[in-house]
């Protein structure tokens, strides 16, 4: 038997019969690559089966995005309320900020984690007060540089704002307008000084 129900045998590339995990198809929806399938495991939880290796894994192991986690939901609702954005836009920002989405900024150096209000709220409050931003302007920074929600406030964001004030002699409203035009600067941590280090998403050369 070659199926996702019960223990069966499947003829693999090697020509040998391989054991199939005891799983039952729950949704039957394949990925675009057609290589994985979401199934119900014996313990009642959902899992991912790789159809090439017939190996089942949990959503966390497979990198599933925990948008239904209670903690994630509370942060999403806070962003929706404070920034007046949609839940979809809030999720997009959180995925980028906490390494569940694009890795252009993080370059796979950050582990995926579930966001918390305790981690995100101080950043929003600082940006709002220090740059004198309204909700729409704060939302524009989050949409332009979603990773700002996951970058260290004390080690990165505040020092970067102070650097702009000092080196470019900026104060509001010029300071605010400059950061609104280039919100990525809140995450810069490299200055190649013209000798490109290949870390353009994090480099002050772009400011």
């Amino acid at each position: 038997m070659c199926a996702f129900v019960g223990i069966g045998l499947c003829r693999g590339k090697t020509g040998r019969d391989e054991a199939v995990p005891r799983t039952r198809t729950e949704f039957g929806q394949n990925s675009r690559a057609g290589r994985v399938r979401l199934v119900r495991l014996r313990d009642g939880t959902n899992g991912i089966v790789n159809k090439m290796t017939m190996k089942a894994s949990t959503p966390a192991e497979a990198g599933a995005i925990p948008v239904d986690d209670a903690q994630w939901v509370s942060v999403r609702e806070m962003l929706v309320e404070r920034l007046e954005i949609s839940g979809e836009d809030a999720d997009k920002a959180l995925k980028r900020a906490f390494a569940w989405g694009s890795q252009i900024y993080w370059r796979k150096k950050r582990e995926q984690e579930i966001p918390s209000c305790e981690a995100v709220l101080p950043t929003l409050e600082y940006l709002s007060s220090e740059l004198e931003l309204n909700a729409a302007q704060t939302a524009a920074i989050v949409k332009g540089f979603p990773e700002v929600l996951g970058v260290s406030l004390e080690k990165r964001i505040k020092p970067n704002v102070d650097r702009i004030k000092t080196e470019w002699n900026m104060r509001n409203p010029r300071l605010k307008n400059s950061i609104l035009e280039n919100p990525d600067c809140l995450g810069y941590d490299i200055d190649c000084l013209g000798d490109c280090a290949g870390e353009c998403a994090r480099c002050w050369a772009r400011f």
Side-chain angles (χ1 to χ4, degrees), residues 65-87:
I65 302 173
V67 292
D68 294 325
D69 179 271
Q71 184 171 302
W72 184 297
V73 171
S74 67
V75 181
R76 176 202 301 148
E77 292 176 348
M78 183 265 290
L79 291 177
V80 169
E81 180 179 354
R82 291 184 66 94
L83 304 185
E84 301 174 2
I85 60 177
S86 68

Side-chain angles (χ1 to χ4, degrees), residues 21-154:
R22 185 182 295 278
T23 55
R24 176 173 62 83
T25 301
E26 179 69 15
F27 300 101
Q29 183 176 0
N30 296 338
S31 69
R32 278 185 284 181
R35 294 182 179 178
V36 298
R37 178 166 296 197
L38 184 62
V39 298
R40 184 74 69 185
L41 304 178
R42 283 183 293 177
D43 61 3
T45 62
N46 293 334
I48 305 293
V49 165
N50 186 312
K51 296 203 295 183
M52 299 299 292
T53 64
M54 306 310 295
K55 179 181 179 181
S57 60
T58 65
E61 293 170 337
I65 302 173
V67 292
D68 294 325
D69 179 271
Q71 184 171 302
W72 184 297
V73 171
S74 67
V75 181
R76 176 202 301 148
E77 292 176 348
M78 183 265 290
L79 291 177
V80 169
E81 180 179 354
R82 291 184 66 94
L83 304 185
E84 301 174 2
I85 60 177
S86 68
E88 181 180 0
D89 285 341
D91 279 339
K92 287 180 180 179
L94 292 173
K95 290 173 187 177
R96 287 273 297 271
F98 293 90
W100 297 94
S102 170
Q103 291 284 330
I104 292 177
Y105 177 79
W106 298 118
R107 297 178 71 88
K108 299 183 179 180
K109 295 178 181 178
R110 177 176 183 141
E111 293 185 1
Q112 296 171 336
E113 65 177 287
I114 297 176
S116 67
C117 290
E118 292 77 13
V120 173
L121 187 56
T123 294
L124 296 179
E125 292 179 337
Y126 170 79
L127 293 175
S128 178
S129 61
E130 182 69 19
L131 301 180
E132 301 174 2
L133 303 176
N134 58 32
Q137 291 170 329
T138 306
I141 285 181
V142 171
K143 289 181 180 180
F145 179 54
E147 291 84 355
V148 72
L149 299 177
V151 169
S152 171
L153 175 60
E154 299 298 330

